[in-house]
Amino acid sequence: MNSDFLPKYLIPLTLVFIVSFLAEGQSGPPYQVNWINRIGVNQTGDILTKNIAANSWTNSGAISSNILPANTDGWIEFSPVSGSYFAVGFAIVNTINVTQFTNGLVVSSSGCGAQEGITGTNLIGWQVGDIFRISRERNSVTYYRNGAELRSITVDPTLELKIKTTLPEYGKSTPAIIASFDMQLVLQP
């Protein structure tokens, strides 16, 4: 930057702006999930907690503004905590319901299962410290636990996917979730 053309008081401001922008910007994954369309939950940081007493998969959850573009590989990852009970995964619709996941995982104290639309498939037990990943890889979605493949299915790679979660019981929380894809600007009416 040639400082001969700038007034002396602008040089420090310009440098502060450049340094501040670089320090705040994130250049690559993993990204935090930006929850929008939250219903029936309180948000603390990136953790959602159900605040509605009625136990149901349809009255609390959220959609993200993180969007996995069509024909793009990407993943979400999380590590459940003791007492977890939630569903999280990819979705194309904003409906909060466990049967409205395109590809998701339901995690409870009794185990973990894949949720693909109305079809649920038991997969495996889990323990605190396990790391789960749901990954679209070309024309398949693969579910992983600690890097080991649990299930892989063929999918339509042309779908644009969002991250979705739902919580069935009062006081239950999502874990922190990270993604390989960032949030997009979402304009709402």
Side-chain angles (χ1 to χ4, degrees), residues 51-183:
N51 63 11
I52 294 177
N55 289 345
S56 171
W57 284 107
T58 62
N59 63 6
S60 68
I63 307 296
S64 77
S65 65
N66 302 62
I67 297 174
L68 179 58
N71 300 306
T72 304
D73 292 350
W75 51 262
I76 60 174
E77 192 173 87
F78 59 91
S79 184
V81 298
S82 181
S84 287
Y85 195 20
F86 62 90
V88 66
F90 294 134
I92 57 173
V93 297
N94 290 347
T95 306
I96 301 297
N97 190 331
V98 74
T99 63
Q100 296 295 310
F101 282 88
T102 307
N103 303 96
L105 285 173
V106 176
V107 177
S108 71
S109 58
S110 62
C112 174
Q115 188 69 43
E116 296 142 355
I118 60 171
T119 304
T121 305
N122 288 330
L123 293 178
I124 199 164
W126 64 275
Q127 60 188 356
V128 173
D130 283 348
I131 298 171
F132 287 92
R133 179 178 279 204
I134 304 170
S135 180
R136 180 167 70 186
E137 302 161 2
R138 291 171 293 292
N139 68 337
S140 67
V141 165
T142 304
Y143 302 89
Y144 296 94
R145 183 185 76 164
N146 301 327
E149 183 178 316
L150 300 174
R151 174 178 170 81
S152 186
I153 62 166
T154 301
V155 297
D156 180 356
T158 65
L159 297 177
E160 181 179 87
L161 300 172
K162 304 171 192 174
I163 304 167
K164 178 165 48 177
T165 189
T166 183
L167 298 148
E169 290 184 0
Y170 176 77
K172 295 294 183 179
S173 298
T174 64
I177 301 165
I178 57 174
S180 66
F181 47 98
D182 203 0
M183 63 184 128

